[in-house]
Amino acid sequence: MLLKTFGWSFAVTALGLVAAVFYGGWTGFGVVAILSVLEISLSFDNAVVNAGILKKMNAFWQKIFLTIGVLIAVFGMRLVFPVVIVAVSAKIGPIEAVRLALNDKDQYQQLVTDAHPSIAAFGGMFLLMIFLDFIFEDRDIKWLGWLERPLAKLGKVDMLSVCIALVVLLISAMTVATHAHQHGGVHVDKAQTVLISGVAGLITYLVVGGLSSYFENKLEEEEEREHEQEEAAAKSGKKVPAVVLAGKAAFFMFLYLEVLDASFSFDGVIGAFAVTNDIVLMALGLGIGAMYVRSLTVYLVRQGTLDDYVYLEHGAHYAIGALAVILLVTIQYEIHEVITGSVGVILIAWSFISSVIRNKRIAAAEGQGSSGDKAEVSSGV
């Protein structure tokens, strides 16, 4: 199971490290290894969230996610995206941007740093909306009950998450954006840029998320019909296969996953410039990390890990919220990528431990013959 799921990741790792040695010697090897670990640590929460969506898709679309999706993630976000943002921000052609990336690495880094406010605003708003929509939803299983119960009640107010996101964007534009960090340690007013980019991130979330929600609702209707069919089939001894997303429904969910992955990639791409200016080494390191994130997503789905450790999804979404805030803060202040990666790892590890404690409590209760309701067991926090 492990080799089948992570086989391609192992192969890409070996090829990537060998290519790094030929391209940049053992120094290049070390840089690529560091970038791979950086990408995995920053995107682990991405894998957890993706798994919650991917498990609703059929085997065909799961394979698409691991093939075409990987190409988009590796070549699109880790190679093409840094070139595109330089071309757009510097108002130069993509060919010139590639020339700068390969031949004038210092100038390339300067242009990417100067484009960071717009990148952070777009990605920050997209991720913030994911977190807000999650935290305002009333769920049967709650991790931090003292926080999630009152927020679930507030979530009954229509469009509350959008209003809060816009308020956060306005505050960011009037505070950190007025002294946005640029190359060389200077600070300039990027309020207009942050507002436009933030609104674009919000619109992107509403459009793509709205389409995915529409097809999720259709899936729920199919599941209700499936349940009725299972009850009828139980009498005749037949089994009804589970309903999973396919066709247009799966396509839009796949699109949602790719946009989500792109937003998660912002911090990894920007953080990579703190390690190297070399676009080739960056693509190799981040590409290896992206492969592991994809494989880890499928592993979580096939092993049913999210069903066994029910607070993992909560921890991942809290990490998303933290990352959104960090991205907005980095418009003005530099935050080391180690801090960014550690926040997500700590939150997910905490949720995992809480899930283990919950499972032990349920097992102990069952061992004592308890027949109480175990749909929601507090993690003790």
Side-chain angles (χ1 to χ4, degrees), residues 33-370:
I34 292 172
L35 288 175
S36 302
V37 175
L38 172 67
E39 175 68 10
I40 295 171
S41 64
L42 289 176
S43 300
F44 183 80
D45 47 358
N46 188 10
V48 176
V49 174
N50 284 352
I53 301 173
L54 194 65
K55 68 181 182 180
K56 301 175 182 178
M57 302 167 71
N58 62 20
F60 171 78
W61 280 98
Q62 288 183 8
K63 290 180 180 179
I64 292 294
F65 179 72
L66 277 176
T67 52
I68 297 178
V70 166
L71 294 177
I72 294 174
V74 174
F75 294 100
M77 288 307 302
R78 277 75 177 182
L79 182 59
V80 176
F81 176 69
V83 175
V84 170
I85 61 176
V86 169
V88 173
S89 62
K91 297 180 180 179
I92 60 178
I95 296 178
E96 176 65 12
V98 172
R99 187 193 68 78
L100 288 175
L102 295 176
N103 302 321
D104 194 347
K105 298 179 177 61
D106 291 335
Q107 178 67 11
Y108 181 77
Q109 181 186 14
Q110 176 180 341
L111 293 174
V112 171
T113 302
D114 291 343
H116 178 68
S118 57
I119 299 171
F122 182 93
M125 292 304 296
F126 188 91
L127 296 179
L128 181 61
M129 282 299 300
I130 294 174
F131 169 71
L132 291 176
D133 278 351
F134 179 86
I135 200 66
F136 284 137
E137 183 177 347
D138 190 9
R139 301 176 179 277
D140 294 333
I141 297 177
K142 296 178 176 62
W143 180 29
L144 306 179
W146 57 273
L147 176 63
E148 295 174 10
R149 289 190 185 93
L151 289 177
K153 293 180 181 179
L154 288 175
K156 296 178 181 179
V157 178
D158 290 338
M159 304 301 292
L160 180 61
S161 59
V162 176
C163 293
I164 292 178
L166 288 174
V167 169
V168 171
L169 178 60
L170 286 174
I171 293 175
S172 300
M174 293 185 295
T175 55
V176 293
T178 58
H179 296 83
H181 174 76
Q182 299 287 266
H183 183 76
V186 300
H187 292 82
V188 298
D189 188 349
K190 290 281 187 177
Q192 182 178 359
T193 299
V194 167
L195 277 175
I196 295 174
S197 301
V199 170
L202 179 60
I203 292 174
T204 302
Y205 173 83
L206 293 176
V207 172
V208 180
L211 289 172
S212 64
S213 296
Y214 168 75
F215 286 107
E216 278 189 88
N217 292 334
K218 292 188 65 175
L219 175 62
E220 291 178 359
E221 294 176 0
E222 290 293 331
E223 287 177 340
E224 290 180 2
R225 284 196 289 269
E226 175 196 11
H227 181 66
E228 295 175 356
Q229 293 174 358
E230 286 178 346
E231 291 181 344
K235 299 178 181 179
S236 60
K238 298 180 180 179
K239 291 184 178 181
V240 180
V243 174
V244 291
L245 287 173
K248 291 182 179 180
F251 171 77
F252 282 109
M253 291 297 285
F254 171 76
L255 178 62
Y256 178 76
L257 279 174
E258 291 307 313
V259 175
L260 182 64
D261 176 77
S263 296
F264 274 103
S265 301
F266 292 147
D267 62 321
V269 173
I270 297 302
F273 281 96
V275 180
T276 180
N277 298 334
D278 194 309
I279 191 173
V280 175
L281 296 179
M282 187 184 303
L284 288 173
L286 297 181
I288 291 173
M291 281 296 301
Y292 278 99
V293 172
R294 282 297 197 277
S295 298
L296 183 60
T297 297
V298 174
Y299 180 81
L300 292 174
V301 172
R302 293 175 177 172
Q303 292 293 103
T305 304
L306 295 183
D307 295 329
D308 295 333
Y309 304 100
V310 295
Y311 298 137
L312 270 181
E313 190 173 6
H314 294 73
H317 279 85
Y318 279 107
I320 290 174
L323 179 56
V325 173
I326 289 174
L327 277 174
L328 294 176
V329 171
T330 56
I331 293 175
Q332 179 175 348
Y333 303 100
E334 291 187 75
I335 298 179
H336 200 280
E337 62 274 5
V338 172
I339 297 176
T340 304
S342 298
V343 169
V345 172
I346 290 172
L347 286 170
I348 292 175
W350 182 14
S351 64
F352 175 79
I353 294 172
S354 297
S355 299
V356 172
I357 295 174
R358 172 189 183 271
N359 293 341
K360 288 182 178 180
R361 288 178 177 173
I362 290 180
E366 289 177 345
Q368 296 172 0
S370 173

